[in-house]
Amino acid sequence: MFKTAAKYAAQELRDLPPESMISDANEKKEPEELISAAAPSSIRAVRSAFLEVRNLNFYYGETQALRDVSLSIEQHKVTALIGPSGCGKSTLLRCFNRMNDLVDDIRIEGSLRLGGQEIYSREVDVTELRKRVGMVFQKSNPFPKSIYENVAFGLRIHGAKSGAKLDEIVEESLKAVALWDEVKDRLGETAHQLSGGQPQRLCIARAIAVEPEVLLMDEPCSALDPIATAKIEELIHELKLKYTVVIVTHNMQQASRVSDYTAFMLLGKLVEFGLTTKIFQNPDHEDTLDYITGRFG
Amino acid sequence: MRYFASKMTIWRSGDPFVWLSGGALALILLLLSGLFVVVTVNGFGAMWPKRTAKLELRSGDIVLGEIVERELIPPSRTSSVEAFRLQVKRGNRDLSGSDFVWLDEAEIERISYPEEAVVIERRQWGNFYGFPARLLWRNDVVAGAGDGSWRKLEKLLAEEQNIVRQIREIERNEAAALGYKQEKLRIEIKELEKRGAQSARLASARLRGKALQREYIELEQRLQAKRQLLSGVLEMRAAGDQLKRIELAEIVRIYQPNAMSWLERLLLCGQRIIEFVFDDPRESNTEGGVFPAIFGTVMMVLMMSITVTPLGVLAAIYLREYAKQGRFVSLVRIAVNNLAGVPSIVFGVFGLGFFVYTLGGSIDELFFEKYLPNPTFGTGGILWASLTLALLTLPTVIVATEEGLAAIPRSLREASYALGATKLETTWRIVIPSLVPSILTGMILAVARAAGEVAPLMITGVVKLAPSLPIDANWPFFHFDRKFMHLGFHIYDVGFQSPNVDAARPMVFATTVLLLLIVLLLNLSAIIFRARLRKVGLSGAL
Ligand SMILES: Nc1ncnc2c1ncn2[C@@H]1O[C@H](COP(=O)(O)OP(=O)(O)OP(=O)(O)O)[C@@H](O)[C@H]1O
Ligand SMILES: [Mg+2]
């Protein structure tokens, strides 16, 4: 049914517990990757780091957007990136799925690893990487296609053919974002007829339909009303059971509500990174305190 | 100061601007609807059967015909008194030389509308106005004047018209097919002779030629037998008392306009419109229908659309999606936009030079050598005309597509990339489907421009009268090398190249209306399709 072996793997692994999913997924990868994953790393801040950023410098042409950023993101946890506008949150986020590749004239130094594999290495197939690292954008951007085709798009790209299996995955994905009951009778209608928080939930369903390992969210609720926001936040709590979530947000309450870890960035630097409870109750840096209490200019 | 301030407020309130812009629109609408009304009234007004007037002149002459126009005589020529003259369509070109005559109202003694006046539409020589005298069949008088001869005439006429139709059918289908076969065989024999092929093959070919010849003679005999059946003659008395014999086979239609009821007139008008749309032209295009021109126009526009759309869309996609945006791309864009301002005749000259002579000439040398020196593709034809127009409308399609591409939000492409789609997949599955409405817009504009274009066609394949349509029953069915007729050229030809301008005038207007309607129809279908797409979304509609 699916062309790529990786898709088979993802399908079979659907119902397995998360722990075996990592090891299994890793076994399917190249041997060298396993070696690098097993290699001792001294700066591992968090247990079982899944996404590792080490001394990352990022340049848009001449301007440096990220300065020596290092952090480790744990699996099946929600990590929030906060900081004032223009501090490089989106840039960092878009490094994880190499969306920055689309921008001309960028330069990257340092190391970024997903499950031990270097993201910016030459051998990485970007389309495979993006399948493993899904993304949800600030403004919902459903395709001008039917609701069904929106969710099925990623699967079709990766070789799925129409059929009962595809129907099932679409249904599951829509159920996962609590959209199924609202749209099950009009799957064939265009997605532009959805309203309120529905398009954004559809975009999340679209992202998780390909069974990514990491879900990147760039201010997913900034265009939504409080009720729709609450629904998405609730959803994030459930999503972390299966996915590793990295979320950018300007809303401090949201960060404290949904995330397990929080990273505070300022002017391209990572100022502080740690457990959300710690960051919000007892930050080490004055800048962090100023920012989360709204005193930051 | 206060005065100034109040003036400012009026302008600021925005009302004058609303009036100004509304006025501009109203003016445009007025002009457009005026044009449409004039064209329609003149074109289809002529289809309505007018009453036939009998004008008795002071000189004793009698003129019978339709009063077409009444106009003021320029006062310088007569005394300062206001005087009018009438234009009368009196027909009977074979008797009097011209269909139309101007009569000063002062010369007219009396105007009446006799019920017995008869109008005959003929296949040749235009209308005949007169009074029926005798009906003859094989030189025997069947009916005389005024003794209820209409019944007999109608019956006889229907029979003969039926036979005429059969003859034309045979001529158009069987005889044409036979001629086509003979021509093919002639070339084959010529080819065989030239190559010095074995005598056996040549002999068989010649044998087939003989068989065709026999078939042809047989057909000719059949036609002759049918023609023999046509022997009814109607003797008519013209207004000036001359007698005129008109063969029934020559008659298209015969009626008594002054005795007709309103409903009968409407019926006749409908018949004429149908004839106009579905019949071949007669009398060097000034009468009959314009079907071949409709066919040629629609086919050419379709062929043009099929060529220009993929070409323009691909070029636009490359320009905006793949090419590195820089000075060169900007230059290309400017060049493309300016191409739209090149006079269409220049495109025609290019089409003639490149498509017809260079491309067509090479094709002839490569594939149709046996037909030389008669050119096949090396002369104007519907294919070259379509390609020339495709070139002409290319900027329209490119610009519309590029605008559509610019309007597709970046976020849409990013979403696709973020799901692991490659650039090609994103282009095919997201960009192009979202682009379809813009492509259709480009096509609508292109069709509107191409359908009305005449100049480039005149040198790339349009003719006044094409012997056969570009699609027919002879293998290979599509004859892209054939010359064709076109409504736009038809208007030019009938309106300005015709020997009988007055008679052709209604034809010009009616053809214009038809061309407008066809463009409207083509566009409307594209617009409806586009609206459906916008509403349902692509996957829903396709
Ligand atoms: N495509 C680009 N080309 C050049 N500079 C860019 C580009 N994208 C972002 N930048 C710059 O990089 C810096 C970081 O931008 P980034 O979008 O990551 O900030 P952010 O923290 O996400 O801000 P916001 O909260 O407003 O989304 C900014 O100074 C921005 O101007
Ligand atoms: Mg951002």
Side-chain angles (χ1 to χ4, degrees):
Chain A
M1 178 167 187
F2 295 100
K3 263 194 238 145
T4 56
K7 187 65 226 174
Y8 266 121
Q11 282 308 302
E12 283 159 15
L13 293 173
R14 222 157 214 252
D15 303 316
L16 293 177
E19 230 56 55
S20 62
M21 185 168 153
I22 343 154
S23 54
D24 232 41
N26 281 343
E27 268 162 31
K28 299 262 168 180
K29 300 286 169 242
E30 278 89 54
E32 60 186 82
E33 194 183 311
L34 276 181
I35 296 163
S36 63
S41 87
S42 48
I43 332 170
R44 205 167 260 188
V46 194
R47 240 176 344 105
S48 68
F50 190 55
L51 269 170
E52 280 215 52
V53 184
R54 205 81 53 74
N55 306 107
L56 187 70
N57 286 305
F58 188 97
Y59 305 85
Y60 288 111
E62 292 301 305
T63 43
Q64 187 167 8
L66 294 176
R67 293 164 193 273
D68 198 32
V69 172
S70 297
L71 86 163
S72 302
I73 288 165
E74 199 180 345
Q75 197 165 29
H76 299 299
K77 290 284 188 290
V78 178
T79 305
L81 301 180
I82 60 171
S85 219
C87 69
K89 304 178 297 289
S90 299
T91 305
L92 177 60
L93 201 69
R94 293 161 75 92
C95 281
F96 293 130
N97 64 347
R98 289 183 62 166
M99 282 301 272
N100 287 323
D101 290 13
L102 302 175
V103 184
D104 288 336
D105 200 21
I106 55 152
R107 194 155 52 86
I108 292 166
E109 291 162 359
S111 143
L112 259 154
R113 287 175 181 206
L114 169 64
Q117 191 184 17
E118 194 62 54
I119 288 176
Y120 275 88
S121 97
R122 238 172 239 290
E123 295 91 70
V124 167
D125 175 0
V126 180
T127 59
E128 273 305 304
L129 171 76
R130 288 187 187 147
K131 208 181 95 188
R132 290 176 66 191
V133 185
M135 188 161 198
V136 177
F137 297 81
Q138 178 174 3
K139 256 193 85 192
S140 64
N141 48 3
F143 299 131
K145 293 170 179 286
S146 67
I147 294 169
Y148 181 96
E149 284 304 325
N150 259 280
V151 182
F153 182 82
L155 295 156
R156 289 201 194 277
I157 285 293
H158 294 289
K161 298 269 172 298
S162 304
K165 187 78 192 166
L166 190 61
D167 293 349
E168 199 181 298
I169 297 174
V170 170
E171 181 177 340
E172 263 176 46
S173 309
L174 285 171
K175 276 180 176 160
V177 297
L179 201 56
W180 176 252
D181 290 327
E182 293 161 51
V183 302
K184 63 173 179 238
D185 301 321
R186 46 185 182 128
L187 290 174
E189 284 175 32
T190 167
H192 289 286
Q193 289 175 352
L194 297 176
S195 62
Q198 287 176 334
Q200 191 62 300
R201 276 186 282 156
L202 180 69
C203 290
I204 299 175
R206 182 175 71 186
I208 63 177
V210 292
E211 289 282 313
E213 294 159 52
V214 182
L215 202 56
L216 309 173
M217 300 176 132
D218 196 346
E219 304 180 40
C221 305
S222 66
L224 300 181
D225 65 52
I227 294 170
T229 303
K231 272 193 181 162
I232 304 265
E233 284 180 14
E234 206 175 297
L235 186 59
I236 293 171
H237 275 296
E238 281 162 33
L239 288 175
K240 77 174 178 185
L241 298 175
K242 285 177 87 178
Y243 311 100
T244 305
V245 180
V246 185
I247 178 170
V248 171
T249 176
H250 277 287
N251 181 334
M252 292 306 112
Q253 281 83 34
Q254 184 170 62
S256 64
R257 276 195 303 264
V258 302
S259 69
D260 303 299
Y261 293 93
T262 300
F264 172 62
M265 296 173 69
L266 190 60
L267 297 171
K269 288 203 189 92
L270 179 67
V271 175
E272 195 168 354
F273 175 52
L275 283 168
T276 301
T277 44
K278 164 115 180 21
I279 297 267
F280 277 87
Q281 280 160 18
N282 187 19
D284 289 338
H285 286 260
E286 212 164 309
D287 287 340
T288 319
L289 188 65
D290 284 352
Y291 181 71
I292 56 179
T293 51
R295 259 180 283 151
F296 200 84
Chain B
M1 215 55 227
R2 250 189 70 80
Y3 174 70
F4 181 72
S6 76
K7 247 187 137 174
M8 278 295 281
T9 352
I10 285 180
W11 177 250
R12 281 233 185 110
S13 72
D15 286 349
F17 185 68
V18 173
W19 282 104
L20 202 68
S21 44
L25 182 68
L27 187 72
I28 291 168
L29 286 181
L30 203 72
L31 288 175
L32 283 182
S33 50
L35 174 78
F36 194 74
V37 166
V38 165
V39 168
T40 313
V41 166
N42 276 295
F44 287 99
M47 304 271 178
W48 185 258
K50 283 208 189 66
R51 293 199 301 167
T52 299
K54 182 176 175 192
L55 301 109
E56 290 163 52
L57 305 185
R58 288 192 201 289
S59 63
D61 288 344
I62 295 174
V63 175
L64 192 66
E66 296 168 14
I67 298 173
V68 180
E69 223 181 298
R70 178 169 186 263
E71 69 168 35
L72 193 67
I73 302 173
S76 59
R77 284 195 10 227
T78 59
S79 55
S80 59
V81 196
E82 262 196 2
F84 287 87
R85 58 179 188 168
L86 297 178
Q87 190 186 27
V88 180
K89 182 177 180 186
R90 62 172 170 184
N92 307 10
R93 204 186 314 150
D94 37 350
L95 296 178
S96 54
S98 71
D99 299 72
F100 289 84
V101 66
W102 285 101
L103 299 171
D104 286 0
E105 262 184 0
E107 294 171 22
I108 297 169
E109 177 96 53
R110 212 152 61 91
I111 300 180
S112 59
Y113 295 92
E115 292 238 319
E116 330 78 70
V118 161
V119 181
I120 301 179
E121 290 176 23
R122 297 179 291 182
R123 280 184 217 292
Q124 276 166 20
W125 301 105
N127 286 4
F128 189 94
Y129 296 83
F131 303 95
R134 292 189 303 171
L135 181 62
L136 303 154
W137 202 73
R138 303 211 167 182
N139 292 329
D140 299 334
V141 178
V142 181
D147 55 352
S149 55
W150 275 114
R151 277 281 133 69
K152 285 204 184 97
L153 177 66
E154 269 169 20
K155 194 165 150 271
L156 214 54
L157 191 63
E159 275 171 20
E160 295 220 346
Q161 277 179 336
N162 199 14
I163 295 169
V164 169
R165 205 169 302 126
Q166 286 169 10
I167 290 175
R168 279 174 65 192
E169 207 92 307
I170 292 173
E171 277 170 350
R172 190 182 299 164
N173 299 331
E174 294 180 45
L178 211 57
Y180 191 76
K181 273 191 215 158
Q182 274 183 325
E183 177 61 18
K184 279 255 138 94
L185 197 66
R186 191 183 65 78
I187 304 255
E188 195 187 323
I189 290 172
K190 205 176 102 186
E191 178 87 349
L192 286 172
E193 278 171 352
K194 206 164 76 186
R195 274 195 289 150
Q198 314 110 302
S199 52
R201 281 186 62 190
L202 202 56
S204 102
R206 288 211 172 110
L207 219 60
R208 265 184 296 146
K210 287 248 166 59
L212 281 182
Q213 191 63 37
R214 265 201 304 283
E215 243 181 275
Y216 196 79
I217 290 167
E218 231 169 73
L219 196 70
E220 204 42 56
Q221 280 166 351
R222 254 170 66 208
L223 283 173
Q224 201 51 46
K226 288 225 184 269
R227 287 198 193 106
Q228 295 274 303
L229 296 174
L230 303 171
S231 43
V233 169
L234 184 64
E235 234 176 40
M236 293 290 293
R237 187 180 302 284
D241 254 5
Q242 305 108 304
L243 278 180
K244 171 77 189 165
R245 289 164 59 96
I246 299 172
E247 289 175 22
L248 291 191
E250 281 289 301
I251 295 174
V252 177
R253 193 175 287 122
I254 178 164
Y255 57 95
Q256 286 179 300
N258 299 344
M260 281 165 83
S261 72
W262 200 80
L263 200 69
E264 282 170 323
R265 277 164 204 266
L266 196 70
L267 220 65
L268 183 61
C269 185
Q271 269 179 19
R272 278 181 172 167
I273 291 176
I274 289 172
E275 179 193 315
F276 177 66
V277 174
F278 292 105
D279 259 13
D280 289 343
R282 291 194 314 263
E283 287 286 287
S284 71
N285 294 354
T286 57
E287 279 172 32
V290 292
F291 181 73
I294 297 176
F295 193 93
T297 308
V298 171
M299 183 165 165
M300 190 215 51
V301 165
L302 290 182
M303 280 172 69
M304 179 222 61
S305 308
I306 289 170
T307 336
V308 75
T309 310
L311 204 64
V313 168
L314 288 179
I317 286 179
Y318 186 83
L319 265 185
R320 197 163 275 274
E321 301 276 298
Y322 289 94
K324 199 163 157 50
Q325 305 294 319
R327 187 169 299 167
F328 181 70
V329 168
S330 304
L331 270 177
V332 170
R333 205 165 275 140
I334 291 169
V336 165
N337 287 342
N338 281 321
L339 216 56
V342 173
S344 54
I345 188 72
V346 175
F347 280 98
V349 173
F350 176 80
L352 183 69
F354 179 69
F355 291 130
V356 177
Y357 292 154
T358 311
L359 219 59
S362 316
I363 290 175
D364 274 3
E365 270 168 31
L366 287 174
F367 304 107
F368 299 97
E369 207 193 339
K370 53 189 173 184
Y371 296 97
L372 287 173
N374 289 344
T376 310
F377 279 98
T379 173
I382 191 163
L383 177 66
W384 301 140
S386 309
L387 290 186
T388 305
L389 284 194
L391 215 60
L392 178 87
T393 49
L394 200 57
T396 322
V397 176
I398 291 182
V399 169
T401 311
E402 270 214 84
E403 267 162 23
L405 278 170
I408 296 174
R410 222 178 80 137
S411 66
L412 223 52
R413 293 170 223 240
E414 284 198 334
S416 169
Y417 290 131
L419 285 164
T422 60
K423 183 150 193 169
L424 181 70
E425 283 163 335
T426 305
T427 303
W428 265 109
R429 291 171 184 249
I430 303 296
V431 173
I432 292 184
S434 324
L435 209 54
V436 172
S438 312
I439 296 173
L440 286 172
T441 304
M443 269 176 75
I444 289 167
L445 294 173
V447 164
R449 168 122 203 246
E453 207 52 79
V454 178
L457 301 179
M458 282 163 67
I459 50 178
T460 52
V462 143
V463 286
K464 183 185 166 72
L465 191 68
S468 42
L469 297 177
I471 298 180
D472 65 16
N474 295 321
W475 177 261
F477 309 124
F478 290 89
H479 307 277
F480 294 133
D481 55 316
R482 280 198 186 154
K483 303 210 185 276
F484 65 108
M485 290 173 70
H486 183 268
L487 287 171
F489 181 71
H490 202 80
I491 293 168
Y492 166 73
D493 175 65
V494 172
F496 302 100
Q497 303 288 298
S498 151
N500 197 351
V501 179
D502 279 325
R505 198 165 45 176
M507 202 70 176
V508 171
F509 285 112
T511 312
T512 309
V513 177
L514 208 62
L515 184 56
L516 282 178
L517 286 179
I518 284 174
V519 173
L520 204 69
L521 211 71
L522 286 171
N523 282 348
L524 215 59
S525 45
I527 288 167
I528 288 170
F529 184 61
R530 188 177 59 182
R532 242 180 75 92
L533 277 186
R534 290 215 171 115
K535 212 168 102 212
V536 190
L538 199 71
S539 47
L542 293 183

